[in-house]
Amino acid sequence: MSTPRLSARNKRWLIHETPREFIAAWRQFPPLIAAVLYQRGLRDESAIGEFFASDYRLHDPFSLRGMEAAVQRIVAAIQNHEPMAVYGDYDTDGVTAVTLLVQVIRAMGGMIQPYVPHRIREGYGLNIAAIDALVREGVRLLITVDCGISNLREAEHARAAGLDLIITDHHAPPARLPYALAIVNPKQPGCPYPFKHLVGVGIAYQLARALVRRGLRSTLQKDDLLDVVAIGTVTDMGPLIGENRVLVTHGLKAINAAQRPGVRALIEAAGLTPGKVTSTDISFGLGPRLNASGRIDNARLSYELLLAEELAMAQRLARELNAQNRQRQELSKSVQEQASAQIRALGKHQQRIIVLDDAGYPSGVVGLVAAHLVEEYGRPTVLIERGEMWSRGSARSVPGFSIIEALTACADLFERFGGHAEAAGFTIATDRLPELEDRLVRYADQRLPDDLLIPSLRIDAGVPLGELSYDLLNELKKLEPFGQGNPQPVLMSSRVQVIGAWTRGSEGQHLKLRLTDAGGRGPFNAIAFRLGHLARYFEQPRWIDVVYTLEVDEWNGSDALQLNVKDFRSAR
């Protein structure tokens, strides 16, 4: 059931009811937990049992199509001391996958070097100049991670250059697959692998498991690798269901053991508490710092950090990443303000899809900014750095509208492109930008229905404010790890009183609230990010409905329950 009343963030609240008979049938869970399970689509004994299972279980890596051929070629390369390279994308998924395969294959005695392209100079995916450079260096076998599935021309060039190519990727494959010795991608036609949602580093991990199954010895254990698997999976927004949930659950244990110097240094640089790192900390603390180097300069810094053997070196690299992350934050904010002003000036917020290009939009942050613009305007957004000859863009979408399908409908325009339903990237000749916008706008007009253009907020359950407690929070924590596909439960409390309001943040951009219920229970602290401009509304006591996630606010050695406010509206 949806409610049309306006809210602080101008969103439609989607309040989903859970049948009473379901809650009664699962009396072993508190009613709130049963409601969340129902809203996650976990409604039978098998699905619920699998969700809560904590045992380490993965499908046979050899059920991935192409895995047998890939393993045979890598084994031969190790045994014959052939030079290899692993080529990854410059985001965190690609960097962690590169780190994993370099670490594993070197431990097995292989000669392998990492290669991550420069975002600005080389762009996304395989490129011919890099292939030629690797061939000149004597590389005989090239393994891609998190990219390659759309690189038809580059794959043909590698074959002509005498380079064996293995593609491992998780992005949606094109109608025609590139030529390669082996393609390992669960989404390719004919692949029987049951779980289709592994990200790039998850597929790289399965490749490592397959190499071990073929008898290659290594001193590494799974816990030496699952830390980077968890970081890459969460940061790339892999849905935390099925195998991804298993990998991240066990990966968090490895992260909190902090055996890898680079992870220890990264935790320290992010100001996180060692031993208490969560999937949310990966999303907002570790992942953005690893992403920063690829967005601002060169992703080499990130995989050097993860491969560092000495803590002192790792700490130095982590400090550099911290500085780059601050630079990335400032740049993103500036570009977002500029883009938002341009969208309104041109009236593009009235279109079903926003397509915007400018020479002043650095390609390193266009994806981040596009995501913020989707949140601001409730429309798929394509943001492009316009160059003299070539332009690079990133696209983000709203739930229910596949942006990769939209770009595929324009495939003839791109030099190269790739991605999935929620996010994609591309390189295009600058003189084709007007045609791209025209075709995307017409595509969206035909295939993007009105109901997907109304920003909405999904609510898992209603909870009286007075029932919030540490016991309830501990029950919710049993549903972790949270992330894409298993978000932190969103709760609503109706008719609560605001008895205090203050701005927070260096520019007063955030809103701090004190809340009680009609019976005076509380008070509870609440924080509403980016709503500081509404503080004056609460100069008089107000009654509101509030939507939030429940968390602990730790400050100066003490902690208290806190509502992380997602939205609020005036109570009836």
Side-chain angles (χ1 to χ4, degrees), residues 32-69:
L32 176 59
I33 302 304
V36 173
L37 293 174
Y38 183 87
Q39 299 305 333
R40 297 288 183 274
L42 303 169
R43 302 176 182 178
D44 58 54
E45 186 172 353
S46 174
I48 292 174
E50 180 183 352
F51 182 83
F52 282 108
S54 59
D55 55 315
Y56 177 75
R57 66 206 186 285
L58 298 173
H59 295 295
D60 180 0
F62 285 101
S63 63
L64 280 159
R65 183 176 185 179
M67 184 64 81
E68 182 66 49

Side-chain angles (χ1 to χ4, degrees), residues 362-437:
S363 60
V365 299
V366 291
L368 293 173
V369 175
H372 286 302
L373 294 173
V374 170
E375 182 179 351
E376 182 177 356
Y377 293 105
R379 278 151 170 68
T381 300
V382 182
L383 202 61
I384 305 164
E385 179 189 42
R386 187 177 67 244
E388 289 187 15
M389 300 259 323
W390 298 99
S391 297
R392 296 187 177 93
S394 284
R396 299 293 184 269
S397 193
V398 296
F401 181 77
S402 172
I403 197 64
I404 191 62
E405 290 182 8
L407 294 185
T408 300
C410 308
D412 56 299
L413 299 179
F414 300 118
E415 175 70 7
R416 53 181 176 266
F417 76 104
H420 40 80
E422 298 84 12
F426 58 85
T427 301
I428 188 172
T430 300
D431 60 8
R432 309 200 82 169
L433 288 177
E435 184 179 358
L436 174 64
E437 179 172 12

Side-chain angles (χ1 to χ4, degrees), residues 59-71 167-170 182-200 202-210 243:
H59 295 295
D60 180 0
F62 285 101
S63 63
L64 280 159
R65 183 176 185 179
M67 184 64 81
E68 182 66 49
V71 166
I167 294 174
T168 75
D169 202 350
H170 70 110
I183 296 176
V184 182
N185 183 336
K187 295 174 183 172
Q188 67 177 304
C191 181
Y193 195 76
F195 187 69
K196 303 297 184 181
H197 304 291
L198 290 174
V199 301
I203 295 171
Y205 182 70
Q206 283 290 56
L207 175 56
R209 291 183 70 228
E243 285 189 331

Side-chain angles (χ1 to χ4, degrees), residues 302-482:
S302 293
Y303 68 72
E304 286 181 349
L305 168 71
L306 294 176
L307 289 169
E309 297 181 357
E310 301 294 332
L311 181 59
M313 173 61 75
Q315 288 171 328
R316 181 184 67 78
L317 294 171
R319 287 193 295 269
E320 290 185 44
L321 281 177
N322 230 14
Q324 289 186 345
N325 190 50
R326 286 193 294 270
Q327 183 182 352
R328 187 271 307 167
Q329 290 172 325
E330 294 169 359
L331 182 59
S332 297
K333 180 181 178 182
S334 173
V335 172
Q336 183 178 346
E337 291 172 351
Q338 179 185 348
S340 187
Q342 189 176 359
I343 287 168
R344 293 200 172 274
L346 297 174
K348 295 198 173 192
H349 59 293
Q350 299 174 353
Q351 298 175 348
R352 290 182 179 272
I353 187 170
I354 295 171
V355 183
L356 195 64
D357 67 87
D358 194 282
Y361 296 158
S363 60
V365 299
V366 291
L368 293 173
V369 175
H372 286 302
L373 294 173
V374 170
E375 182 179 351
E376 182 177 356
Y377 293 105
R379 278 151 170 68
T381 300
V382 182
L383 202 61
I384 305 164
E385 179 189 42
R386 187 177 67 244
E388 289 187 15
M389 300 259 323
W390 298 99
S391 297
R392 296 187 177 93
S394 284
R396 299 293 184 269
S397 193
V398 296
F401 181 77
S402 172
I403 197 64
I404 191 62
E405 290 182 8
L407 294 185
T408 300
C410 308
D412 56 299
L413 299 179
F414 300 118
E415 175 70 7
R416 53 181 176 266
F417 76 104
H420 40 80
E422 298 84 12
F426 58 85
T427 301
I428 188 172
T430 300
D431 60 8
R432 309 200 82 169
L433 288 177
E435 184 179 358
L436 174 64
E437 179 172 12
D438 179 66
R439 286 170 61 173
L440 286 176
V441 168
R442 284 191 283 116
Y443 182 94
D445 285 344
Q446 296 170 4
R447 293 173 174 83
L448 184 55
D450 290 343
D451 61 326
L452 295 185
L453 296 176
I454 303 173
S456 60
L457 179 60
R458 182 186 177 98
I459 298 167
D460 288 300
V463 181
L465 190 71
E467 293 185 7
L468 301 183
S469 66
Y470 281 98
D471 287 342
L472 180 64
L473 180 61
N474 289 333
E475 290 294 335
L476 291 171
K477 285 184 176 180
K478 293 177 182 178
L479 304 173
E480 293 180 340
F482 297 128

Side-chain angles (χ1 to χ4, degrees), residues 557-569:
S558 61
D559 56 61
L561 286 178
Q562 176 173 265
L563 284 66
N564 188 325
V565 175
K566 304 306 175 186
D567 204 0
F568 61 82
R569 68 188 181 194

Side-chain angles (χ1 to χ4, degrees), residues 98-359:
V98 165
T99 298
L100 186 148
L101 284 189
V102 167
Q103 191 175 359
V104 167
I105 292 176
R106 283 179 179 172
M108 292 174 172
M111 300 169 54
I112 190 164
Q113 68 182 67
Y115 191 97
V116 176
H118 193 284
R119 179 188 292 266
I120 297 173
R121 291 196 297 266
E122 298 175 88
Y124 172 78
L126 282 171
N127 69 84
I128 288 174
I131 291 170
D132 290 342
L134 291 169
V135 169
R136 287 194 297 271
E137 292 173 17
V139 170
R140 300 281 301 280
L141 173 62
L142 180 61
I143 308 166
T144 76
V145 288
D146 192 34
C147 65
I149 197 66
S150 298
N151 293 121
L152 278 72
R153 186 163 65 93
E154 292 79 8
E156 288 292 343
H157 185 83
R159 176 165 66 164
L163 187 65
D164 285 343
L165 178 65
I166 295 172
I167 294 174
T168 75
D169 202 350
H170 70 110
H171 295 101
R176 177 188 163 207
L177 295 178
Y179 175 84
L181 185 70
I183 296 176
V184 182
N185 183 336
K187 295 174 183 172
Q188 67 177 304
C191 181
Y193 195 76
F195 187 69
K196 303 297 184 181
H197 304 291
L198 290 174
V199 301
V201 71
I203 295 171
Y205 182 70
Q206 283 290 56
L207 175 56
R209 291 183 70 228
L211 290 169
V212 172
R213 294 264 299 266
R214 275 293 177 265
L216 291 180
R217 295 185 177 182
S218 167
T219 58
L220 298 173
Q221 303 296 318
K222 72 177 190 301
D223 288 346
D224 296 318
L225 303 172
L226 285 174
D227 53 356
V228 295
V229 177
I231 292 171
T233 299
V234 172
T235 306
D236 209 55
M237 300 183 71
L240 297 190
I241 57 176
E243 285 189 331
N244 284 343
R245 184 173 173 82
V246 173
L247 291 168
V248 173
T249 297
H250 289 269
L252 281 167
K253 294 177 183 177
I255 289 170
N256 284 308
Q259 296 300 310
R260 186 186 298 268
V263 171
R264 291 175 60 189
L266 202 60
I267 291 170
E268 177 184 310
L272 301 174
T273 303
K276 295 184 178 181
V277 177
T278 66
S279 55
T280 302
D281 293 327
I282 294 175
S283 294
F284 296 100
L286 306 184
R289 283 167 171 79
L290 288 172
N291 257 332
S293 63
R295 296 187 182 280
I296 297 299
D297 185 20
N298 192 314
R300 175 183 295 273
L301 190 63
S302 293
Y303 68 72
E304 286 181 349
L305 168 71
L306 294 176
L307 289 169
E309 297 181 357
E310 301 294 332
L311 181 59
M313 173 61 75
Q315 288 171 328
R316 181 184 67 78
L317 294 171
R319 287 193 295 269
E320 290 185 44
L321 281 177
N322 230 14
Q324 289 186 345
N325 190 50
R326 286 193 294 270
Q327 183 182 352
R328 187 271 307 167
Q329 290 172 325
E330 294 169 359
L331 182 59
S332 297
K333 180 181 178 182
S334 173
V335 172
Q336 183 178 346
E337 291 172 351
Q338 179 185 348
S340 187
Q342 189 176 359
I343 287 168
R344 293 200 172 274
L346 297 174
K348 295 198 173 192
H349 59 293
Q350 299 174 353
Q351 298 175 348
R352 290 182 179 272
I353 187 170
I354 295 171
V355 183
L356 195 64
D357 67 87
D358 194 282

